[in-house]
Amino acid sequence: MFAGIAGRYDLANRVLSGGVDRSWRRKVMAAAGAPGHGSTVVDVACGTGDLSLLFSKAGAQVVGVDFTYEMVALAPSKDSGRGGEMAWLQGDGLDLPLGDSVADAATIAFGLRNVADRRRCIREMARVVRPGGRVLVLEFSMPRQDAFGRVYRAYLEHVLPRIGGALSGDRAAYDYLDDTVQGWPAPDQLQAEMEEDGLVDCRYERLWRGIACIHRGSVPSLDGVNEVRG
Ligand SMILES: C[S@@+](CC[C@H](N)C(=O)[O-])C[C@H]1O[C@@H](n2cnc3c(N)ncnc32)[C@H](O)[C@@H]1O
């Protein structure tokens, strides 16, 4: 599916979110502790590289991994080359082609919903992060069932598939987006899963009245003393 829409993915993102996705990605950077020069970030399901490139612009060394060649192949041409070193890999987030504890942070933006086994993906992300480093997830979620929530639900079901379909040429891809967002676990449940999978200091921030959420957790430090900061 992503191979088919790769060429129009960025345009559809900008239009459907009104550009807000950019500010959400910047918040992920902040939640990761704003890694810069000397830091290494692994961006899983990096797609066309928007989040990876933000980290690279801040000076971090970044590995972007995605298993859809057509998506990740668009990323290098968006790299100005003025940031930290970038490596783009075609690979599976469920079996990352990287060693243990190689990164200061691992991120996944709008990707966890798409992998076949989200728990395994989180464990893989934690495996490649050093003790004390962070795992960050940016994902859509469903707002509460108030007036705003009802309007948003109608947008997801009726408006978004039409606009997304017209922009990308694949309406089914945006029906899929609606189905997967509505079936996605509530933030508390996702946080509980991250904790069960060994992450500590887990927390989340709802964005835009809950239509998206940033989850964060830390890989336990070896001395048992875990950093807690905002
Ligand atoms: C909605 S896009 C998100 C892309 C990018 N992170 C962004 O924020 O725009 C989801 C991406 O997940 C990738 N993906 C799905 N399953 C994957 C897996 N098991 N391993 C790596 N990438 C995967 C798809 O190829 C697709 O590029």
Side-chain angles (χ1 to χ4, degrees), residues 47-209:
T48 60
D50 281 358
L51 182 60
S52 316
L53 290 167
L54 264 188
F55 283 109
S56 159
K57 272 186 200 137
Q61 167 180 295
V62 187
V63 182
V65 184
D66 197 288
F67 76 4
T68 304
Y69 173 81
E70 289 80 354
M71 291 286 278
V72 70
L74 294 172
S77 64
K78 292 161 67 178
D79 184 1
S80 68
R82 287 193 288 272
E85 211 177 312
M86 277 289 336
W88 303 107
L89 305 179
Q90 184 184 12
D92 189 355
L94 304 183
D95 189 12
L96 287 169
L98 298 165
D100 296 351
S101 306
V102 293
D104 299 288
T107 58
I108 185 164
F110 308 115
L112 197 59
R113 219 175 359 95
N114 298 298
V115 302
D117 182 344
R118 65 174 179 263
R119 305 280 298 257
R120 180 165 163 185
C121 186
I122 291 289
R123 288 195 295 272
E124 268 299 270
M125 290 169 73
R127 179 183 66 76
V128 301
V129 170
R130 65 165 170 79
R134 291 184 188 175
V135 171
L136 286 308
V137 178
L138 169 60
E139 194 48 89
F140 289 114
S141 61
M142 287 307 291
R144 295 191 181 85
Q145 267 285 32
D146 54 12
F148 174 81
R150 284 192 290 279
V151 170
Y152 180 65
R153 209 168 287 262
Y155 169 77
L156 259 189
E157 285 173 12
H158 305 295
V159 181
L160 181 140
R162 288 209 181 110
I163 302 177
L167 289 171
S168 70
D170 182 359
R171 178 170 171 149
Y174 289 85
D175 281 325
Y176 162 87
L177 175 66
D178 167 35
D179 292 343
T180 52
V181 172
Q182 298 225 35
W184 190 241
D188 283 338
Q189 186 189 330
L190 194 58
Q191 176 166 320
E193 290 181 4
M194 290 172 74
E195 286 165 348
E196 275 171 31
D197 286 329
L199 294 169
V200 296
D201 187 23
C202 292
R203 59 187 80 174
Y204 63 81
E205 179 188 357
R206 289 180 198 270
L207 306 171
W208 271 55
R209 302 183 62 152

